[in-house]
């Protein structure tokens, strides 16, 4: 059974006349008869019988007619969907992100994008920057937005969107919150909760090594939510990327003494990745304004 046969069968059932079917489809009447006979022969069943001037469907013929309509409607819908794909109205955008941009520029971008493209699904993967980079290389995701301090991957195109320095984070009522300048000695008086992995941890380790600092670390976590929730309403301190504080008005940032070189929030994709309109529209919506 092929598309031409089921189309002929559908119109034959509805028109009850082989000549009318031939005229509608722009084929000859013998062609209509040939395909109808082949359908009966292919299934080894009588699909219809003639009663007076009309044709009545057998039970098998009725089932075929019902499914024929379903198949043809699905084909028409699929054709429409393919056109929508070309017009960027439908599809799935696979995005990878490290934790910092998920807490800063991406939430508003997602909202704006989903409002503009209601039929495009977003498949978001949140991991540390090294894992996201590997997923970009292996084509597991289309594009990525990560916090990074530099890496060497010749097959990846990188666009730096904005700086993302390491800062000292604390509750707005912390004893150090009113100090304009904080020294290394001040930090020795308090306990810390810090990242245990990712680009932020790399920056923390760089800063500690360069300044010969031994922090009193009471907790380590790979969850920025848990870190910020824990330091809220407490005297704990943390070292975080500035971007993650964008949606946390109760947590303030202070300049870190002898801070390490700033990282960046960056956009990544493979050099050979074709940027479809779906991807280009998302990139255009990424908010690159300063957020701290």
């Amino acid at each position: 059974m092929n598309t031409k046969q089921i189309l002929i069968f559908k119109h034959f059932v509805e028109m009850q006349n082989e000549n009318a079917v031939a005229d509608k489809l722009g084929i000859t009447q013998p062609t209509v008869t040939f395909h109808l006979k082949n359908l009966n022969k292919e299934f080894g069943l009588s699909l219809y019988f003639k009663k007076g001037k009309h044709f009545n469907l057998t039970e098998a013929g009725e089932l075929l007619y019902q499914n024929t309509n379903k198949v043809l409607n699905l084909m028409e819908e699929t054709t429409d969907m393919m056109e929508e794909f070309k017009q960027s109205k439908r599809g799935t955008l696979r995005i990878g992100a490290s934790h910092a941009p998920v807490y800063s520029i991406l939430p508003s971008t997602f909202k704006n994008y989903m409002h503009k493209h209601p039929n495009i699904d977003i498949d978001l993967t949140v991991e540390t920057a090294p894992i996201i980079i590997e997923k970009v290389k292996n084509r597991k995701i289309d594009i990525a937005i990560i916090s990074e301090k530099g890496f060497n991957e010749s097959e990846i195109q990188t666009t730096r969107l904005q700086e993302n320095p390491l800062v000292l984070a604390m509750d707005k009522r912390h004893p150090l919150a009113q100090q304009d300048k904080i020294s290394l000695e001040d930090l020795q008086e308090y306990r810390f909760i810090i990242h245990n992995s990712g680009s932020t941890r790399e920056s923390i380790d760089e800063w500690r090594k360069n300044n010969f600092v031994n922090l009193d670390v009471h907790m380590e976590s790979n969850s920025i939510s848990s870190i910020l929730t824990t330091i809220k309403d407490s005297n704990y301190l943390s070292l975080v990327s500035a971007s993650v504080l964008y949606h946390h008005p109760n947590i303030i940032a202070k300049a870190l003494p002898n801070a390490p070189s700033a990282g960046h929030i960056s956009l990544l994709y493979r050099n050979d990745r074709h940027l479809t309109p779906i991807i280009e529209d998302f990139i255009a919506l990424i908010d690159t304004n300063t957020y701290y």
Side-chain angles (χ1 to χ4, degrees), residues 159-292:
T159 302
R160 285 182 164 173
L161 304 175
Q162 56 192 39
E163 283 194 348
N164 189 31
L166 188 70
V167 297
L168 181 66
M170 65 189 73
D171 185 86
K172 64 182 181 181
R173 294 180 295 274
H174 192 281
L176 296 179
Q178 302 306 315
Q179 290 188 204
D180 293 330
K181 188 175 181 179
I182 296 174
S183 68
L184 291 175
E185 289 73 21
D186 290 330
L187 303 184
Q188 304 301 313
E189 303 296 323
Y190 298 95
R191 283 184 160 184
F192 278 76
I193 300 171
I194 64 173
H195 288 263
N196 62 10
S197 61
S199 61
T200 299
R201 180 55 182 260
E202 292 173 3
S203 291
I204 292 172
D205 290 344
E206 175 190 340
W207 176 77
R208 288 199 292 188
K209 180 179 178 182
N210 291 342
N211 291 280
F212 305 100
V213 175
N214 289 317
L215 299 178
D216 184 2
V217 177
H218 199 198
M219 171 179 160
E220 297 185 19
S221 173
N222 66 351
S223 168
I224 187 61
S225 293
S226 67
I227 292 173
L228 297 181
T229 300
T230 305
I231 68 172
K232 183 177 179 294
D233 299 321
S234 78
N235 282 349
Y236 284 109
L237 298 173
S238 187
L239 302 173
V240 300
S241 299
S243 61
V244 305
L245 301 181
Y246 184 51
H247 297 292
H248 294 272
N250 292 320
I251 306 296
I252 64 171
K254 291 287 185 175
L256 194 61
N258 304 326
S261 57
H264 293 83
I265 300 293
S266 299
L267 168 71
L268 280 61
Y269 53 86
R270 284 186 60 95
N271 289 330
D272 58 359
R273 162 69 65 183
H274 172 65
L275 296 183
T276 64
I278 288 177
I279 296 175
E280 288 180 332
D281 284 353
F282 184 83
I283 293 174
L285 285 174
I286 294 178
D287 181 11
T288 60
N289 294 327
T290 302
Y291 48 81
Y292 53 83

Side-chain angles (χ1 to χ4, degrees), residues 6-145:
I6 62 175
L7 189 60
I8 288 172
F9 182 74
K10 167 184 164 64
H11 289 305
F12 174 69
V13 172
E14 295 171 353
M15 293 181 169
Q16 294 281 306
N17 185 287
E18 294 182 2
N19 287 319
V21 174
D23 289 342
K24 181 173 181 62
L25 299 179
I27 56 180
T28 64
Q29 181 271 322
T31 300
V32 173
T33 303
F34 171 78
H35 284 296
L36 290 174
K37 287 183 177 180
N38 271 0
L39 273 178
N40 284 274
K41 183 177 179 182
E42 180 177 339
F43 291 118
L45 294 167
S46 294
L47 301 175
Y48 55 87
F49 58 91
K50 192 167 184 178
K51 188 174 182 180
K53 294 183 178 180
H54 299 284
F55 293 91
N56 288 352
L57 294 175
T58 63
E59 186 176 355
E62 183 64 39
L63 177 61
L64 177 61
Y65 176 68
Q66 292 175 5
N67 286 343
T68 291
N69 280 310
K70 292 179 183 177
V71 170
L72 292 174
N73 289 338
L74 182 59
M75 291 177 64
E76 182 178 358
E77 179 183 335
T78 302
T79 300
D80 292 340
M81 288 174 62
M82 293 300 104
E83 184 60 31
E84 288 179 352
F85 270 118
K86 290 196 295 185
Q87 300 298 323
S88 299
K89 296 178 182 177
R90 190 180 299 271
T92 299
L93 178 58
R94 302 175 302 166
I95 300 174
S98 61
H99 296 275
V102 166
Y103 286 90
S104 56
I105 64 174
L106 286 181
S108 60
T109 304
F110 289 147
K111 290 178 185 177
N112 292 335
Y113 189 80
M114 289 186 289
H115 177 74
K116 184 178 179 181
H117 302 283
N119 291 322
I120 294 178
D121 298 325
I122 293 177
D123 183 355
L124 175 65
T125 300
V126 180
E127 283 286 359
T128 60
I131 292 176
I132 293 298
I133 291 170
E134 284 301 309
K135 287 183 179 295
V136 172
K137 289 172 58 179
N138 295 330
R139 303 180 187 277
K140 299 285 183 64
I141 53 181
D142 300 318
I143 59 172
I145 300 90

